[in-house]
Amino acid sequence: MLRPKLPDIPTLPTTTVMPHQTQTPVSSAGRPVAPYAGVCLGAVAAVVVVGIVLTALLAAVAVSAVSVAIAAVVLRSLLSSANKR
């Protein structure tokens, strides 16, 4: 009943223009660069991830060592004060 009226689609000319290519392709130095770019980026990403993981593990070991050292000092203090009594 109340339908919107769509406008008519104008027709475009169908002539195609083919440009004339005047440049010759440049020959590569022997091997393509594109396949190695992905490998290089993957290797860099892997090194960064491994570095982050190793840094996190080193930080965890350092925090554990500090907490064990504090616990040892507290236990030593408690034991030495018990022996003096």
Side-chain angles (χ1 to χ4, degrees):
M1 184 173 196
L2 296 173
R3 293 186 183 185
K5 180 153 176 105
L6 298 175
D8 294 333
I9 300 173
T11 57
L12 298 175
T14 59
T15 58
T16 57
V17 177
M18 299 296 287
H20 182 67
Q21 185 177 4
T22 58
Q23 297 177 348
T24 58
V26 178
S27 63
S28 63
R31 60 182 181 174
V33 178
Y36 297 110
V39 173
C40 182
L41 291 177
V44 169
V47 168
V48 168
V49 168
V50 169
I52 291 171
V53 169
L54 289 178
T55 303
L57 288 174
L58 181 64
V61 168
V63 168
S64 299
V66 168
S67 65
V68 167
I70 291 172
V73 168
V74 169
L75 286 175
R76 183 177 170 190
S77 173
L78 290 174
L79 290 175
S80 67
S81 66
N83 287 340
K84 290 182 182 179
R85 289 185 201 174

